[in-house]
Amino acid sequence: MTLTDLNITIIGAGIGGLAAALALRRRGAQVTVLEQAEAVSEVGAGLQITPNGLSVLRALDLHDELAWCSQRAKAVVLRSHGQGREVLRLDLDQYAADLRYYFVHRADLIRILANAARDAGVQVRLLQKVQRVEWNPKPVVYLANGAQCGGDLVIGADGLHSKARKALNQVGQPFFTGQVAWRAIVPNHAKLPAEAQVFMGPGQHLVAYPLRDGSLVNLVAVQERRAWAEEGWHIKDDPANLRRAFSKFGGQAHGLLSQVDEVALWGLFRHPVASHWHMGAVALLGDAAHPTLPFMAQGGNLALEDAWVLADALEDSSGGIPEALAAYQLRRRDRVVKVVRAASRNAWKYHLRAPLSWPAHQILKLGGQVAPQRMVGQFDWIYRHDVTKSGE
């Protein structure tokens, strides 16, 4: 299908929305992105771009820009929480030398995508709050200011509380996982190298890795608890609460936590993968279709995959938009379900309590000594998946 005369509206100027806008515009479509904020920006958070997401950025000719403003990950290091002793080092340079993993500030990735989209001719409209979406052969987006818009296709890339998802699916009730997470960025006074440091403790863990030129460190601290916490990335908390929760973490972890002067806390909720990713000429991508827990670092990477496959499915279709959207869901849903399940199962490995923690750590250490290649490659089905290659 030729995209040259296609008029597409995308709701949400996040990673998935901007990547889809760029991919579609480069195929000839006329693309407008609606963003409710007053600026296209993201604050105070890091993320990991794994090889599967990087393949999309490379296909969009954005790899070099990403490399300039991020840290290329050299290893993942698992440590015990007490003194930070090393349990297992997964050397990516040695055992995954053909792959690239990056630590990037979310704001930098959004800037790269937004600039590329605008340069390509995408129209980004700010302060556009969406009230509801109607799916039709000619879909309609109703805005809070009373205006309406739409086009030949509407794509909902509007995150956890997606208006587009509500138009296509019954509203499901997410459930609290019994885990909360704090996010913070601190100066890299400890001179942490370009490695992901995972400090494992009973019922909790801390992840730390450097950002930008290495002068900053991104922290994600996860704790199991019964008390419910609100869902959302930008809910402020008192840094003293974070330090109190991780008071038994010593070594570098203690030093990093002592530097936190601003922190956000959010509850981790399980949302079902949407049953319907498309109806009429409305489609979903990213968190709007499949919110995932952060334990495989795949939220942004799956959104990048979605963006590419959606654009590819539209271009490849000979039967119009509904057929293209059906092909898009068929290509994506099974993989996404599998990744979301893997993320949901992954946290417990870092939260073992005595007496299980010591023997489990010894098994990890032995595995790293005896079969390091296997340890590094256990999630190759995620990281080596390349949606930019035909048939993926």
Side-chain angles (χ1 to χ4, degrees), residues 68-89:
W68 273 108
C69 67
S70 60
Q71 294 280 302
R72 185 168 73 82
K74 305 296 183 66
V76 177
V77 185
L78 305 186
R79 298 182 180 277
S80 58
H81 75 289
Q83 297 301 320
R85 292 190 180 91
E86 184 177 309
V87 174
L88 172 66
R89 173 179 294 269

Side-chain angles (χ1 to χ4, degrees), residues 225-243:
R225 74 182 195 190
R226 293 182 180 177
W228 175 87
E230 190 173 352
E231 185 177 35
W233 282 6
H234 306 303
I235 301 163
K236 300 298 183 183
D237 193 30
D238 187 338
N241 293 333
L242 168 61
R243 284 188 276 272

Side-chain angles (χ1 to χ4, degrees), residues 3-269:
L3 274 59
T4 304
D5 299 322
L6 214 59
N7 191 339
I8 299 174
T9 296
I10 297 177
I11 307 171
I15 293 170
L18 290 170
L22 180 58
L24 289 163
R25 177 65 191 131
R26 288 188 175 170
R27 287 167 169 81
Q30 303 301 310
V31 184
T32 300
V33 177
L34 306 178
E35 171 55 43
Q36 67 177 351
E38 63 182 16
V40 178
S41 63
E42 283 280 358
V43 297
L47 66 135
Q48 299 177 50
I49 294 297
T50 52
N52 52 307
L54 185 63
S55 66
V56 175
L57 294 175
R58 185 177 284 115
L60 294 172
D61 299 320
L62 299 178
H63 171 263
D64 290 347
E65 287 191 65
L66 177 76
W68 273 108
C69 67
S70 60
Q71 294 280 302
R72 185 168 73 82
K74 305 296 183 66
V76 177
V77 185
L78 305 186
R79 298 182 180 277
S80 58
H81 75 289
Q83 297 301 320
R85 292 190 180 91
E86 184 177 309
V87 174
L88 172 66
R89 173 179 294 269
L90 301 175
D91 192 321
L92 301 176
D93 271 354
Q94 184 173 359
Y95 298 109
D98 60 322
L99 301 179
R100 292 291 181 269
Y101 299 75
Y102 286 97
F103 304 135
V104 61
H105 198 296
R106 186 180 293 270
D108 293 335
L109 180 57
I110 292 291
R111 173 183 52 78
I112 289 169
L113 288 166
N115 288 345
R118 284 178 168 133
D119 289 346
V122 172
Q123 300 298 310
V124 180
R125 294 171 53 191
L126 305 174
L127 297 172
Q128 305 296 304
K129 184 175 177 59
V130 174
Q131 289 272 30
R132 63 188 176 92
V133 177
E134 283 186 1
W135 64 270
N136 293 300
K138 285 289 186 180
V140 183
V141 178
Y142 294 87
L143 301 173
N145 62 10
Q148 300 177 18
C149 58
D152 301 303
L153 171 64
V154 169
I155 299 171
D158 44 344
L160 282 174
H161 307 293
S162 168
K163 300 296 185 182
R165 176 171 173 142
K166 288 180 181 178
L168 307 187
N169 296 271
Q170 291 185 338
V171 178
Q173 283 297 329
F175 68 88
F176 181 51
T177 63
Q179 298 176 98
V180 298
W182 288 267
R183 279 187 183 272
I185 291 180
V186 300
N188 191 8
H189 296 322
K191 305 298 181 187
L192 291 186
E195 301 173 348
Q197 309 287 336
V198 183
F199 301 88
M200 304 178 293
Q204 55 192 154
H205 76 276
L206 172 69
V207 180
Y209 52 80
L211 297 173
R212 290 183 169 159
D213 60 356
S215 61
L216 301 174
V217 174
N218 187 66
L219 300 179
V220 181
V222 178
Q223 181 191 44
E224 296 174 6
R225 74 182 195 190
R226 293 182 180 177
W228 175 87
E230 190 173 352
E231 185 177 35
W233 282 6
H234 306 303
I235 301 163
K236 300 298 183 183
D237 193 30
D238 187 338
N241 293 333
L242 168 61
R243 284 188 276 272
R244 189 178 304 114
F246 285 77
S247 60
K248 295 183 180 179
F249 280 54
Q252 281 188 327
H254 176 80
L256 291 166
L257 292 167
S258 70
Q259 297 179 65
V260 175
D261 58 14
E262 186 175 334
V263 68
L265 169 69
W266 85 104
L268 300 181
F269 286 73

Side-chain angles (χ1 to χ4, degrees), residues 314-386:
L314 285 164
E315 187 176 49
D316 284 351
S317 175
S318 59
I321 289 175
E323 179 182 284
L325 299 185
Y328 158 65
Q329 178 168 340
L330 184 64
R331 287 172 61 180
R332 293 297 297 150
R333 196 173 191 278
D334 286 352
R335 169 170 168 77
V336 162
V337 167
K338 189 176 179 183
V339 174
V340 168
R341 285 175 179 167
S344 300
R345 293 193 299 259
N346 211 38
W348 71 270
K349 301 174 184 178
Y350 305 142
H351 292 183
L352 293 174
R353 295 173 168 85
L356 296 178
S357 56
W358 187 87
H361 289 182
Q362 297 309 304
I363 291 170
L364 281 173
K365 186 176 293 187
L366 181 62
Q369 294 169 351
V370 174
Q373 184 73 57
R374 183 176 180 182
M375 298 289 285
V376 171
Q378 62 184 310
F379 292 112
D380 274 359
W381 63 272
I382 295 179
Y383 302 138
R384 290 187 179 274
H385 190 82
D386 185 350

